[in-house]
């Protein structure tokens, strides 16, 4: 009687849900990779290399132009950071709202 159990115990168990799990993981991966790749492609296409200044500019005008370009880059960075901060504030607001709602539900109201 014990001998009849040995093959079933020794046989590795294969989860029948592994296929659906794998499909889910691949789908989520693709759903993440496609938008990110598209965003990177669009940003690479929209960023044109900085044109060379005309030869008839004076040294001070060239320096002013270089300063203006660096300030524009700083401004772009600040916009990116502001967007990240907005996302963080939205997330914090959602957490606080959820916490307040769970507190109300716990009071029996």
């Amino acid at each position: 009687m014990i001998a009849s159990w040995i093959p079933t115990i020794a046989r590795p168990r294969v989860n029948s849900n592994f296929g659906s799990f794998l499909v889910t993981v691949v789908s989520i991966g693709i759903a993440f990779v496609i938008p990110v790749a598209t965003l990177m492609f669009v940003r690479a296409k929209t960023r044109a290399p900085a044109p060379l200044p005309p030869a008839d500019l004076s040294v001070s005008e060239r320096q002013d132009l270089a300063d203006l370009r660096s300030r524009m880059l700083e401004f772009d960075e600040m916009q990116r950071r502001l967007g990240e901060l907005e996302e963080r504030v939205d997330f914090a607001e959602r957490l606080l709202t959820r916490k307040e709602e769970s507190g109300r539900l716990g009071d029996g109201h």
Side-chain angles (χ1 to χ4, degrees):
M1 192 160 157
I2 294 176
S4 65
W5 285 92
I6 291 175
T8 57
I9 292 173
R11 210 174 338 145
R13 295 182 183 184
V14 177
N15 190 353
S16 62
N17 293 330
F18 181 72
S20 62
F21 172 74
L22 186 61
V23 169
T24 303
V25 168
V26 169
S27 299
I28 290 172
I30 290 172
F32 176 74
V33 168
I34 289 175
V36 170
T38 304
L39 179 65
M40 290 173 61
F41 178 75
V42 168
R43 287 192 82 183
K45 285 292 186 183
T46 57
R47 286 191 180 198
L52 296 174
D56 60 344
L57 291 179
S58 69
V59 174
S60 65
E61 290 174 330
R62 286 178 189 251
Q63 183 62 40
D64 290 343
L65 187 57
D67 290 343
L68 181 60
R69 285 185 180 149
S70 71
R71 287 184 184 182
M72 287 175 59
L73 291 174
E74 290 174 9
F75 180 74
D76 289 342
E77 177 65 19
M78 292 297 282
Q79 280 185 319
R80 184 190 63 77
R81 291 179 63 192
L82 180 62
E84 289 177 1
L85 287 172
E86 288 174 342
E87 290 176 11
R88 290 180 183 187
V89 168
D90 290 342
F91 179 74
E93 287 175 345
R94 286 193 301 271
L95 283 179
L96 288 172
T97 302
R98 187 182 313 159
K99 196 174 207 179
E100 289 173 356
E101 289 174 356
S102 67
R104 284 189 222 142
L105 293 175
D107 293 338
H109 290 104

